[in-house]
């Protein structure tokens, strides 16, 4: 058989390379599965190995074991150890805590975290009648039971009543006085029905009269009994009044006390003058001290009059 035919036949059957080598005496070609030789490196290539160290640190510790309670021990807790806890009073240092809070906020110019000074409407009452009414009377009575303001009408009353502070006895509502809203109706059968709302009492209040802004504060909330020394809560009220003075005062403002003791009243006025002078960074001469007023109408109070001169709410 021709040598070329043998070579072709063996190649087609998959053993051509072996017979070709046997016939020609040459070494067999590398198998297709053998790894290819690495390509030769050119003169402009190089290898580099970089080594480093991670400097970050992480603390690893043991987790705290879960708390375990023995129910039987809790149920059988000795009474002699429990009685002192139940019987001995717990003392809260509210004065110390409050003073610390106020000291930390002392340098703030405004005090938005303090409660707002109440202003009209001072009382609001929502109405839900048991029976339809043919007439009604809405009144505000004070702690003595005397009506200080009233209004009336025919038919069904409004769903909501509000009171702007009108007090025919005192001219305007006063601090430390309890006010109660009340509605009386007459139904179609002639029976009377009375509804009472939530009472209100104010330690400080704001009203505007004759171009003046007046803030009245209850004396007992600012000063110790029969003294000109501050109470613990006095800065809460005074700092909020100071915010109002910054907003509305265009010049000097006045302080007036309502008290039966003129000397004590003047001492308290002077204490407030000093307080506002230091807090508002203004001279004492910018704060006028007015003659004390009898407390018969307004009660024992201190009035701060902005954009006007004395007389409080008279």
């Amino acid at each position: 058989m021709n040598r070329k035919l043998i070579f072709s036949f063996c190649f087609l059957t998959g053993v051509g390379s072996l017979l070709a080598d046997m016939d020609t005496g040459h070494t067999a070609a590398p198998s297709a599965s053998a790894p290819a030789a690495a390509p030769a490196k050119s003169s402009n290539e190089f290898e580099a190995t970089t080594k480093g160290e991670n400097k970050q640190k992480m603390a690893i510790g043991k987790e705290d074991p879960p708390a375990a309670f023995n129910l039987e021990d809790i149920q059988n807790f000795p009474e002699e150890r429990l009685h002192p806890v139940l019987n001995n009073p717990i003392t809260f240092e509210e004065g110390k805590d409050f003073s610390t809070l106020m000291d930390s906020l002392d340098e703030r110019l405004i005090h938005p975290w303090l409660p707002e000074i109440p202003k009209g409407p001072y009382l609001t009452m929502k109405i839900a009648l048991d029976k339809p009414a043919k007439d009604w009377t809405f009144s505000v009575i004070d702690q003595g039971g005397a009506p200080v303001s009233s209004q009336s009408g025919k038919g069904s009353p409004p769903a909501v009543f509000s009171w702007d502070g009108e007090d025919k006895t005192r001219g305007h509502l006063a601090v430390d006085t309890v006010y109660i809203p009340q509605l009386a109706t007459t139904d179609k059968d002639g029976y009377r029905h009375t509804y009472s709302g939530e009472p209100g009492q104010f330690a400080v209040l704001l009203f505007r009269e004759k171009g003046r802004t007046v803030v009245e504060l209850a004396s007992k909330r600012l000063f110790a009994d029969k003294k000109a020394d501050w109470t613990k809560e006095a800065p809460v009220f005074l700092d909020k009044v100071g915010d109002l003075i910054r907003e509305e005062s265009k010049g000097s403002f006045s302080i007036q006390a309502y008290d039966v003791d003129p000397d004590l009243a003047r001492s308290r006025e002077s204490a407030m003058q000093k307080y506002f002078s230091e807090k508002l960074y203004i001279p004492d001469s910018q704060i006028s001290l007015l003659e004390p007023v009898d407390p018969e109408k307004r009660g024992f109070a201190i009035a701060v009059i902005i954009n006007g001169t004395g007389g409080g709410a008279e």
Side-chain angles (χ1 to χ4, degrees):
M1 183 180 293
N2 189 295
R3 182 181 300 174
K4 292 182 179 180
L5 293 176
I6 294 174
F7 178 81
S8 299
F9 178 77
C10 293
F11 179 78
L12 292 174
T13 58
V15 294
S17 61
L18 177 61
L19 293 177
D21 290 339
M22 292 175 62
D23 189 67
T24 59
H26 294 161
T27 305
S31 171
S33 61
K41 296 180 182 178
S42 62
S43 60
N44 58 352
E45 292 181 356
F46 67 96
E47 290 183 355
T49 302
T50 303
K51 295 182 179 180
E53 181 179 352
N54 190 344
K55 299 293 185 179
Q56 296 180 354
K57 296 182 179 181
M58 181 175 63
I60 301 176
K62 295 183 178 179
E63 292 185 358
D64 294 332
F69 299 95
N70 189 321
L71 183 59
E72 184 177 351
D73 293 340
I74 297 176
Q75 292 175 334
N76 299 327
F77 194 81
E79 293 186 6
E80 63 273 9
R81 295 177 57 187
L82 185 60
H83 285 166
V85 177
L86 299 177
N87 296 331
N88 294 339
I90 300 175
T91 303
F92 294 96
E93 297 290 341
E94 70 276 3
K96 180 180 179 181
D97 294 343
F98 180 79
S99 298
T100 302
L101 173 63
M102 296 307 297
D103 290 343
S104 66
L105 304 173
D106 188 55
E107 298 303 321
R108 305 294 180 91
L109 291 179
I110 58 174
H111 308 81
W113 58 88
L114 297 179
E116 292 295 328
I117 301 174
K119 56 185 178 181
Y122 299 97
L123 292 178
T124 302
M125 180 180 177
K126 295 184 178 181
I127 307 300
L129 299 181
D130 297 330
K131 292 185 177 182
K134 67 176 183 179
D135 59 50
W136 54 269
T137 300
F138 175 73
S139 304
V140 176
I141 60 176
D142 62 15
Q143 55 200 20
V148 299
S149 178
S150 64
Q151 53 182 298
S152 58
K154 300 292 184 179
S156 297
V160 179
F161 282 99
S162 59
W163 179 52
D164 62 0
E166 178 188 1
D167 185 331
K168 64 183 181 182
T169 302
R170 304 167 182 84
H172 199 277
L173 84 163
V175 295
D176 271 347
T177 300
V178 178
Y179 293 96
I180 306 169
Q182 190 175 85
L183 175 69
T185 65
T186 303
D187 63 23
K188 295 181 179 180
D189 297 325
Y191 292 101
R192 297 283 289 176
H193 304 270
T194 302
Y195 307 86
S196 295
E198 291 292 329
Q201 185 179 24
F202 305 92
V204 56
L205 55 87
L206 180 153
F207 58 92
R208 305 181 194 278
E209 185 181 67
K210 299 178 182 179
R212 302 174 302 176
T213 298
V214 181
V215 179
E216 289 186 356
L217 305 101
S219 296
K220 70 179 184 180
R221 304 297 290 271
L222 297 180
F223 298 100
D225 187 33
K226 298 181 180 180
K227 296 181 179 179
D229 300 331
W230 300 118
T231 62
K232 294 178 181 178
E233 61 181 342
V236 174
F237 300 112
L238 295 178
D239 286 347
K240 201 61 183 179
V241 175
D243 292 348
L244 181 66
I245 293 172
R246 288 189 180 96
E247 293 174 3
E248 299 201 6
S249 179
K250 297 179 176 62
S252 61
F253 60 94
S254 306
I255 297 174
Q256 188 170 42
Y258 296 85
D259 205 299
V260 295
D261 185 343
D263 293 334
L264 177 61
R266 293 187 183 94
S267 297
R268 289 177 170 179
E269 288 180 357
S270 297
M272 291 188 66
Q273 181 188 48
K274 180 180 178 182
Y275 188 93
F276 286 129
S277 175
E278 294 176 353
K279 291 292 183 177
L280 302 177
Y281 304 101
I282 59 177
D284 293 349
S285 59
Q286 196 171 330
I287 308 172
S288 303
L289 302 184
L290 306 177
E291 281 298 313
V293 180
D294 191 282
E296 181 180 359
K297 286 188 176 182
R298 307 302 307 153
F300 293 86
I302 303 284
V304 178
I305 304 107
I306 305 173
N307 300 332
T309 56
E314 292 184 322

